[in-house]
Amino acid sequence: MRVVIAPDSFKGTASAADITEAVAEGWRTERPDDDLVLVPMADGGEGTIDAVAAAVPGSERIPVTVTGPDDRPVETWWLRLPDGRAVVELAATSGLTLLDGLRPDTAHTTGFGQAIAAALDAGATGLLLGIGGSASTDGGVGALLALGLATGAPSGVTGALVLDHVPPVDPGALRALPPLGAVVLSDVTSPLVGEHGAAAVFGPQKGVTPDRVAVHDDRLRRWATCFPGIDPATGGAGAAGGTGFGMLAWGATIASGAQAVAEAVGLPDAVAEADLVVTGEGRFDGQSAAGKAPAIVCALAAHLGTPTALVAGEVTAPVDAFAQAASLTVIATQTTGEPDDALRDPLRFARIAGARIARAHLT
């Protein structure tokens, strides 16, 4: 058999590359002669650079030191592609995992903007901007400040607190977009504000308490008035604490993160030659079918009638409904013990899952 293994990361526990290799190791214990094609996936969040770097020959990691979301320096990198475009990942510059403790009012996206500026300084011809995993609800103002935006905020004010001092803003000094433009990679379709917006839906995971959601939502509404030509209801504007809106205000466009990564890593060609596709993520839930990496992988396989197996650390959504909607075969493989087993030792779990799926296909 020719088997494509293309999971997303198990966020917070293991990278997509490590999970992919672990599933492959498990598979080989049962079917050592099969042809395994390893294609780690991402959706614009954590692991996007790793996935693209692993799949695109000639890509180059360029180191850069930026100001992290809590003002500490972060040593990270952006990725230069052979065609001259750059991949910049918010999770690696301004991400939630970079914090020691949640900072709902002061965490910011400055480092993300600094990494973008570094890529532009190095001559990037276009930008792919992965914006998942943000630590802040600053509407992307930190990133735009790093790209030249001027606001009325006093020196030293950071994060969502900057939005207390807008308008006015002066976008006249913003860096120009590169020749091939900038594409935001996101699997989030939320608007900027309202009950489905950045503060209400994603604020709690960044430390926004229920009694403060309205405050953050008002800040983002004020921020939206600074750019009357940009509709805050645009799908994806609320991604990454409103960074999606900030990038739209700069002139970027928003695309499906998983779809763009799939194209960049050559997944369609790989799936076209496969007998089976294995995908997955740490938690398969109600949002998984709405544009996340496993959904994109399954859609590619469904188009070609290729069976698909799903590896997940935790399954909280009906798999049968997902399988029926995708018109394909899905095998949900979970740990043999308690659900927390996958959190404690995700690579051992992934190896077990790979072996189980291989055994299921022995005939």
Side-chain angles (χ1 to χ4, degrees):
M1 291 180 66
R2 183 178 179 86
V3 182
V4 170
I5 303 176
D8 198 352
S9 64
F10 280 31
K11 295 202 170 40
T13 60
S15 70
D18 287 343
I19 291 293
T20 301
E21 183 56 45
V23 171
E25 289 175 6
W27 184 283
R28 292 187 186 106
T29 64
E30 300 290 333
R31 297 178 59 103
D33 297 326
D34 285 342
D35 180 16
L36 305 185
V37 181
L38 309 189
V39 189
M41 273 293 292
D43 56 17
E46 176 188 352
T48 296
I49 282 180
D50 290 340
V52 177
V56 180
S59 57
E60 179 184 6
R61 294 175 187 266
I62 308 298
V64 61
T65 301
V66 302
T67 303
D70 57 2
D71 296 330
R72 293 180 297 175
V74 172
E75 294 183 4
T76 184
W77 50 76
W78 56 274
L79 188 70
R80 178 186 283 133
L81 299 181
D83 63 5
R85 292 180 298 166
V87 183
V88 183
E89 183 182 307
L90 186 148
T93 58
S94 307
L96 195 61
T97 59
L98 299 174
L99 295 178
D100 288 338
L102 299 177
R103 299 163 61 102
D105 288 296
T106 59
H108 54 76
T109 54
T110 301
F112 183 50
Q114 291 172 339
I116 294 171
L120 293 174
D121 290 342
T125 57
L127 294 166
L128 297 176
L129 305 175
I131 65 170
S134 170
S136 71
T137 310
D138 77 344
V141 66
L144 292 190
L145 288 170
L147 291 168
L149 183 76
T151 74
S155 176
V157 174
T158 63
L161 294 177
V162 174
L163 303 183
D164 290 335
H165 303 276
V166 298
V169 301
D170 179 9
L174 273 171
R175 298 284 296 265
L177 291 168
L180 298 179
V183 178
V184 173
L185 312 181
S186 175
D187 67 343
V188 171
T189 58
S190 299
L192 180 64
V193 296
E195 63 177 328
H196 302 297
V201 176
F202 303 107
Q205 68 185 216
K206 307 174 200 304
V208 178
T209 55
D211 61 309
R212 297 281 295 171
V213 167
V215 173
H216 284 268
D217 196 59
D218 286 343
R219 286 170 171 167
L220 293 171
R221 289 182 189 279
R222 189 180 306 115
W223 177 228
T225 66
C226 297
F227 303 94
I230 308 300
D231 185 357
T234 301
T243 301
F245 179 84
M247 293 297 98
L248 287 172
W250 185 37
T253 58
I254 294 181
S256 162
Q259 185 67 56
V261 171
E263 294 292 340
V265 303
L267 185 65
D269 290 340
V271 171
E273 299 177 356
D275 298 303
L276 175 73
V277 177
V278 181
T279 187
E281 61 184 337
R283 178 188 173 103
F284 184 86
D285 57 22
Q287 298 182 33
S288 297
K292 287 194 173 184
I296 297 301
V297 176
C298 287
L300 284 171
H303 180 67
L304 297 168
T306 306
T308 300
L310 174 71
V311 176
E314 182 180 10
V315 178
T316 62
V319 177
D320 291 343
F322 178 75
Q324 184 176 5
S327 301
L328 46 80
T329 301
V330 176
I331 301 173
T333 308
Q334 233 172 327
T335 178
T336 55
E338 297 298 321
D340 285 351
D341 286 351
L343 291 174
R344 285 190 289 265
D345 196 353
L347 299 185
R348 174 178 175 272
F349 159 76
R351 285 189 288 271
I352 293 172
R356 283 183 174 178
I357 298 170
R359 282 198 299 272
H361 288 80
L362 279 173
T363 57

